[in-house]
Amino acid sequence: MNSVNTGEAIVFWVCAVLAVLGAVGLITSRKAVHSALWMALTMISLAVLYIANNAPFLGMVQVIVYTGAVMMLFLFVLMVVGVDSSDSLIETIKGQRFLALLLGLLLIVILVWGLGSSLAGLPAVGLDGANRVDGGNVQSIAHLIFTDYLVVFEVTSALLITAAMGAMVLAHREHWQPKPTQAQLSVARFKGDEHPGNRPNPGIYARHNAVDTPALLPDGTPTDASIPGALRARGEVAPVDINDGRAIEEADSL
Amino acid sequence: MTEGQWGWFGVDPWWIVIVKVLGIFVLLVLLTLFTIWWERRVVSRMQHRIGPNRVGPFGLLQSLMDGVKLALKEEIVPKGVHLAVYWIAPIISATMAFTAFAVIPFGPLVNMFGVETPLQLTDFPVSVLYVLAIASIGIYGIVLAGWASGSIYPLLGGLRSSAQMISYEIAMGLSFVAVFLYAGSMSTSEIVSSQEPIWFAVILLPSFLIYVTAMVGETNRAPFDLPEAEGELVGGFHTEYSSMKFALFFLAEYINMVTVSALATTLFLGGWRAPWPISLWEASNTGYWPILWWLVKVQIFIFVFIWLRGTLPRLRYDQFMKFGWKVLIPVSIAWILIVATARVLRNDVTMSNTEILLIGGAIIVVLLIGSWLLQSRSDRKAAELEEAKAKAHARPFDAMAGGYPVPPMPGQQVTLPTRRATSSVTTQEAIDG
């Protein structure tokens, strides 16, 4: 069965083009999130190609693990880092484009030459032959993973766990005292000196309800309590006309 | 369907495929409309209200009218959005919701317009993994909607959603493993047929419970609806969406509910097979009848969704994550170990079920005694610590602490003053004054 039928040809040309498009988009996008999305497109196209080549398990795992978990973690980190922080385009490593090109070419040579020379003499069993051994594609993969490639499989998982442990150790922060519970926090809030209720909104008794305009106390004096701390620190509090308060007093007395 | 059932999939004529696809599409849209109405009615009943009862019989057409209204509303696109991603997000959500249904079995082989065909669009050796994969792409819609809105509440909703999906998909996937071990297959139709004598919900109860918990987390429904927690995040990821785009998110959420319910039915409740008293009737598992049993089972799960929403408060985010990582995942891993050990003992060592149960029981007793000993020791230590703390903090109750009349603090004893003591205090004060 070396012939390619029409359906297979259509799937290949659509998905191959999409995969290459995704890869090009990945390196040309300016926004990190867009790059991640292009990467997801490439991975899904590859998964479809795997499935079209009668490797449904590999295709599904590709989507679940790479698109679903790895890319999702990537997106998570990018979103935590910042909504609009497009990366700086100044290259800190000298000649990294040239180096990347060189290493990429080297990788292609190694893959083609290494795989080509090692697989050249092998007789091809064919898809049916490979799947017939254990009664199905999934069973055959399971058989290989848990017999011939068991050590590789376990070593890979040990590597991943080590990486995860390393990340946890790096991100770990020692607590000097036990973390306060929700109940303790609420008790502390009511025992403290600060007023436990809402702070006055901007604009109370004042001329404007902009956030930088302090609310006025009933006696007409401005209060800083309604101004967000960030604005206060930057000194961006709007000046208050003391007549604002007097106007209210006058209105009251009428 | 018995031996060689793979032969029945992927051989339908093109027009049968179109009929099936259309059937699934229409069924899902109708189920969405029905589920919205049902949810509103059931939640109303739980809150001593009546709920929608004006449009159509029993108010059944209410959600159709709401849908039409939603589609005709003005579309507002905020200024700071990333336009392309903002457009794609609801489309991803809705299409993936429909796509996941392709492998759900509705019934056995039937005669459809003169063609013998299974009541299932398609099936392949890893179709349960296919549902997982499609669900994980579907979450992209929510995450991207949060990011593309260019505003802080949707972003928080999207962040929560991605963390939630990663955590709960692990628990969900682990709950499938025991089913795969027992069914010996990952295809939905084979899992249904391997539940012929007894449902997996009965023999694999822990897996079933873990799956039901994880499916509520995976569909962002109360009490796990943190990505759209309206009390904290306005609308969460869909805050900046309106009109048809919002309707797509709405549709996707309800279809996802139906999908996870259908998957639960397929994996644990015997799929389309008739439950026991009905299965005594010969024709119950033939022809188009199974669709009815399937619908009833799915509706039971949907009712549980509604029931949870009507009764449980939303979890705090850290509690939710702790529950996923520290309870669900370890419990399911332990359970898989037990199931796998039992399978190996029965298949390879050829132990009888009674022997396995006896040995398992002995191990559980030993573990229980061990944990009880450990627990009582740590309890004693904690009690001692508590006592020491209480001694250190014990202060006599002062009714006028800080100059104001105050109630006693927890743990403080109230000593009611006698009349003489009161009068003596007043005298003292009088002298002082």
Side-chain angles (χ1 to χ4, degrees):
Chain A
M1 287 241 294
N2 284 323
S3 61
V4 176
N5 62 31
T6 333
E8 205 176 334
I10 292 173
V11 168
F12 172 78
W13 284 110
V14 170
C15 288
V17 169
L18 281 180
V20 174
L21 198 72
V24 172
L26 166 71
I27 49 172
T28 51
S29 298
R30 299 235 160 161
K31 281 208 174 71
V33 172
H34 289 173
S35 291
L37 289 181
W38 286 117
M39 182 103 191
L41 178 68
T42 302
M43 287 171 170
I44 293 173
S45 310
L46 287 183
V48 174
L49 285 176
Y50 291 155
I51 295 165
N53 280 310
N54 262 332
F57 184 78
L58 195 59
M60 287 307 152
V61 169
Q62 163 94 3
V63 175
I64 294 174
V65 174
Y66 287 100
T67 317
V70 176
M71 277 332 277
M72 195 54 93
L73 275 175
F74 244 85
L75 272 180
F76 185 82
V77 172
L78 291 176
M79 284 158 75
V80 169
V81 166
V83 188
D84 273 328
S85 71
S86 35
D87 282 329
S88 145
L89 293 176
I90 300 165
E91 290 166 8
T92 47
I93 307 169
K94 264 187 192 166
Q96 68 174 5
R97 284 179 187 230
F98 173 71
L99 272 177
L101 204 67
L102 193 73
L103 290 176
L105 284 175
L106 264 177
L107 185 68
I108 291 176
V109 170
I110 290 174
L111 282 180
V112 171
W113 177 70
L115 277 182
S117 61
S118 63
L119 296 181
L122 280 180
V125 189
L127 186 67
D128 290 330
N131 283 346
R132 209 186 300 120
V133 181
D134 294 290
N137 178 252
V138 182
Q139 287 88 337
S140 303
I141 291 179
H143 188 102
L144 283 180
I145 285 180
F146 290 108
T147 54
D148 293 359
Y149 294 95
L150 183 68
V151 178
V152 182
F153 189 67
E154 295 296 332
V155 166
T156 312
S157 73
L159 178 73
L160 287 176
I161 287 183
T162 316
M165 292 293 288
M168 282 171 76
V169 168
L170 286 179
H172 181 69
R173 218 175 356 166
E174 197 73 48
H175 284 292
W176 294 105
Q177 48 203 26
K179 217 175 158 195
T181 64
Q182 204 172 17
Q184 284 169 334
L185 281 176
S186 84
V187 168
R189 191 160 148 222
F190 277 85
K191 273 190 171 169
D193 294 331
E194 263 189 53
H195 181 58
N198 288 350
R199 293 183 176 171
N201 289 327
I204 293 198
Y205 293 132
R207 284 263 168 100
H208 301 277
N209 60 1
V211 278
D212 63 343
T213 309
L216 299 184
L217 294 175
D219 65 351
T221 50
T223 168
D224 271 353
S226 72
I227 309 281
L231 288 184
R232 241 182 294 158
R234 273 189 262 159
E236 288 185 357
V237 180
V240 182
D241 185 359
I242 200 70
N243 289 326
D244 283 3
R246 238 175 256 151
I248 290 165
E249 270 171 39
E250 277 162 25
D252 280 349
S253 64
L254 280 175
Chain B
M1 282 175 280
T2 50
E3 285 304 305
Q5 57 180 327
W6 291 117
W8 291 108
F9 293 104
V11 291
D12 291 330
W14 61 270
W15 56 273
I16 283 280
V17 174
I18 289 179
V19 166
K20 283 180 177 177
V21 169
L22 265 181
I24 290 175
F25 182 79
V26 169
L27 179 82
L28 282 177
V29 172
L30 287 181
L31 269 179
T32 302
L33 294 179
F34 176 75
T35 311
I36 295 171
W37 170 82
W38 200 29
E39 171 161 32
R40 292 178 68 180
R41 289 290 291 216
V42 173
V43 169
S44 300
R45 195 46 69 93
M46 288 178 177
Q47 298 166 347
H48 298 281
R49 297 185 286 119
I50 297 169
N53 64 349
R54 294 286 135 179
V55 194
F58 307 106
L60 265 168
L61 297 180
Q62 181 70 49
S63 24
L64 183 67
M65 294 298 129
D66 285 348
V68 171
K69 186 187 84 174
L70 200 52
L72 295 178
K73 273 188 166 184
E74 184 192 352
E75 170 121 30
I76 299 163
V77 180
K79 231 187 211 167
V81 299
H82 303 267
L83 214 55
V85 184
Y86 179 83
W87 267 87
I88 294 170
I91 299 174
I92 293 179
S93 245
T95 43
M96 288 304 133
F98 280 108
T99 314
F101 236 78
V103 292
I104 300 292
F106 297 87
L109 283 177
V110 292
N111 188 341
M112 197 181 273
F113 309 112
V115 180
E116 188 93 337
T117 177
L119 267 178
Q120 178 175 3
L121 179 57
T122 187
D123 196 7
F124 47 101
V126 290
S127 45
V128 178
L129 294 187
Y130 164 83
V131 178
L132 263 186
I134 294 295
S136 68
I137 300 179
I139 307 282
Y140 266 80
I142 292 177
V143 175
L144 292 180
W147 179 77
S149 294
S151 127
I152 202 75
Y153 285 130
L155 181 72
L156 286 173
L159 272 179
R160 283 184 176 189
S161 174
S162 57
Q164 182 166 334
M165 179 240 148
I166 293 170
S167 326
Y168 276 67
E169 210 177 56
I170 297 173
M172 198 183 225
L174 287 176
S175 73
F176 292 159
V177 173
V179 173
F180 296 158
L181 283 178
Y182 265 78
S185 167
M186 288 190 267
S187 94
T188 45
S189 63
E190 279 184 11
I191 287 174
V192 168
S193 50
S194 65
Q195 293 182 69
E196 191 153 7
I198 188 158
W199 290 354
F200 285 152
V202 181
I203 43 176
L204 300 174
L205 186 65
S207 289
F208 177 58
L209 295 178
I210 290 165
Y211 176 77
V212 170
T213 318
M215 82 180 189
V216 180
E218 186 83 0
T219 43
N220 300 331
R221 290 279 306 184
F224 300 152
D225 55 345
L226 298 142
E228 45 183 310
E230 68 272 2
E232 308 156 33
L233 300 182
V234 192
F237 62 90
H238 59 61
T239 307
E240 306 291 358
Y241 280 87
S242 51
S243 185
M244 204 57 207
K245 294 206 193 77
F246 172 73
L248 285 181
F249 279 124
F250 207 69
L251 186 72
E253 177 179 334
Y254 279 85
I255 294 179
N256 281 333
M257 265 168 76
V258 178
T259 308
V260 290
S261 304
L263 197 61
T265 306
T266 308
L267 293 181
F268 294 104
L269 291 194
W272 44 264
R273 289 187 173 276
W276 170 64
I278 306 171
S279 61
L280 294 177
W281 172 40
E282 285 284 310
S284 64
N285 279 331
T286 56
Y288 286 89
W289 280 109
I291 296 182
L292 186 65
W293 323 137
W294 181 86
L295 265 178
V296 170
K297 288 174 184 175
V298 168
Q299 287 305 316
I300 289 172
F301 279 108
I302 297 214
F303 178 78
V304 171
F305 270 114
I306 300 169
W307 190 12
L308 288 174
R309 187 190 156 186
T311 40
L312 290 180
R314 184 179 301 124
L315 260 77
R316 218 171 61 205
Y317 188 70
D318 58 330
Q319 291 171 335
F320 173 72
M321 279 294 152
K322 229 176 237 176
F323 182 65
W325 286 97
K326 295 190 178 170
V327 179
L328 282 186
I329 294 177
V331 166
S332 37
I333 290 179
W335 170 243
I336 291 168
L337 272 180
I338 295 172
V339 170
T341 315
R343 291 294 287 185
V344 168
L345 287 181
R346 216 175 68 183
N347 290 351
D348 296 349
V349 192
T350 57
M351 274 183 171
S352 72
N353 272 344
T354 337
E355 282 171 325
I356 293 174
L357 283 177
L358 275 176
I359 295 173
I363 293 174
I364 287 172
V365 167
V366 169
L367 283 179
L368 277 179
I369 292 174
S371 72
W372 178 72
L373 284 175
L374 275 180
Q375 183 67 34
S376 62
R377 224 179 92 185
S378 66
D379 275 357
R380 215 169 32 227
K381 275 197 177 160
E384 279 167 12
L385 195 71
E386 203 61 29
E387 214 171 292
K389 259 191 197 167
K391 267 186 194 158
H393 286 282
R395 276 192 224 110
F397 172 53
D398 182 4
M400 295 292 281
Y404 293 100
V406 288
M409 297 294 287
Q412 281 182 333
Q413 281 287 329
V414 185
T415 44
L416 286 171
T418 58
R419 187 164 291 171
R420 208 186 322 159
T422 323
S423 65
S424 78
V425 166
T426 4
T427 348
Q428 192 62 42
E429 273 176 2
I431 294 164
D432 283 347

